């Protein structure tokens, strides 16, 4: 009987997965802000189209902040995206940073001066957090061309979804084995 009570207490204290942010980017998410020489657009997804001949073109997107709920130890960030970069005497970048209480952690950092670069994947990142932490996200794309040689830099970036899920560490398998042994 004590083992059943222990099992109920332990399983009751485990926080279930909780989606904290979930955006399909059909519109600019509420509370998010933009800056840069070219704006992000939302034609069914987040779209950034940057191109510069002999100068620079850039766009930034800032999320609002979320507070980490009690019992949460990790955030799982998932972002399916494509990035196409072209250069000729130029340079391109795509960055995603996660800020936890003002300290930043890189989730994506692509910089290229190659004539052509493509990225098509779902970014999946695990960020360690504590209850009460303030978390936000920063997205920055840029295309720069050499002004002397009239170079070219282009970044076309599409993000199709943005999900942040909160979860705790799993119980140790040996803990579950002990609980099952008491119950069965």
């Amino acid at each position: 009987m004590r083992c059943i009570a222990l099992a109920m207490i332990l399983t009751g204290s485990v926080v279930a997965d909780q989606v904290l942010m979930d955006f399909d980017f059909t519109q600019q998410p509420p509370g998010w802000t933009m800056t840069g020489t070219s704006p992000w657009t939302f034609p069914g997804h987040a779209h950034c189209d940057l191109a510069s001949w002999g100068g620079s073109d850039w766009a930034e997107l800032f999320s609002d902040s979320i507070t980490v709920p009690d019992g949460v130890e990790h955030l799982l960030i998932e972002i399916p995206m494509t990035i196409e970069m072209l250069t000729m005497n130029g340079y391109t970048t795509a960055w995603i940073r996660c800020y936890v209480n003002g300290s930043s952690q890189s989730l994506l950092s692509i910089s290229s001066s190659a004539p052509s670069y493509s990225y098509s994947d779902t970014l999946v990142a695990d960020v360690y957090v504590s209850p009460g932490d303030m978390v936000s996200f920063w997205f920055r794309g840029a295309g720069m061309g050499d002004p002397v040689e009239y170079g070219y830099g282009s970044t076309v970036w599409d993000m199709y979804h943005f999900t942040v899920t909160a979860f705790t560490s799993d119980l140790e398998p040996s803990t579950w084995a002990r609980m099952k042994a008491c119950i069965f």
Side-chain angles (χ1 to χ4, degrees):
M1 187 62 155
R2 281 188 277 170
C3 289
I4 293 173
L6 175 63
M8 290 172 58
I9 291 168
L10 286 175
T11 57
S13 67
V14 175
V15 174
D17 294 352
Q18 178 182 1
V19 176
L20 301 179
M21 289 182 157
D22 186 33
F23 299 111
D24 62 6
F25 290 127
T26 54
Q27 62 184 358
Q28 182 176 337
W32 289 39
T33 58
M34 294 184 288
T35 187
T37 55
S38 294
W40 285 83
T41 59
F42 300 91
H45 58 279
H47 177 76
C48 176
D49 191 349
L50 307 163
S52 178
W53 283 100
S56 67
D57 193 13
W58 57 279
E60 294 179 327
L61 182 61
F62 302 90
S63 78
D64 58 347
S65 293
I66 55 173
T67 303
V68 175
D70 288 341
V72 172
E73 297 174 3
H74 303 269
L75 298 179
L76 178 67
I77 294 92
E78 299 172 277
I79 312 168
M81 67 177 87
T82 59
I83 301 170
E84 299 292 330
M85 298 173 159
L86 301 172
T87 64
M88 182 181 70
N89 296 319
Y91 190 75
T92 57
T93 61
W95 299 325
I96 301 175
R97 298 194 73 74
C98 174
Y99 289 87
V100 178
N101 297 326
S103 295
S104 72
Q105 174 181 340
S106 177
L107 302 183
L108 177 77
S109 180
I110 299 173
S111 299
S112 178
S113 59
S116 173
Y117 177 84
S118 295
Y119 175 91
S120 181
D121 204 351
T122 297
L123 171 73
V124 178
D126 181 12
V127 176
Y128 291 93
V129 293
S130 297
D133 284 350
M134 297 298 293
V135 178
S136 62
F137 299 89
W138 174 69
F139 307 82
R140 186 178 200 280
M144 296 151 282
D146 184 317
V148 175
E149 297 188 25
Y150 203 60
Y152 177 75
S154 167
T155 301
V156 177
W157 187 357
D158 294 300
M159 292 186 291
Y160 302 100
H161 208 99
F162 178 75
T163 306
V164 177
T165 306
F167 61 99
T168 64
S169 293
D170 293 331
L171 291 175
E172 294 295 321
S174 60
T175 305
W176 281 113
R178 280 196 300 268
M179 289 171 29
K180 288 180 2 186
C182 289
I183 296 169
F184 301 109

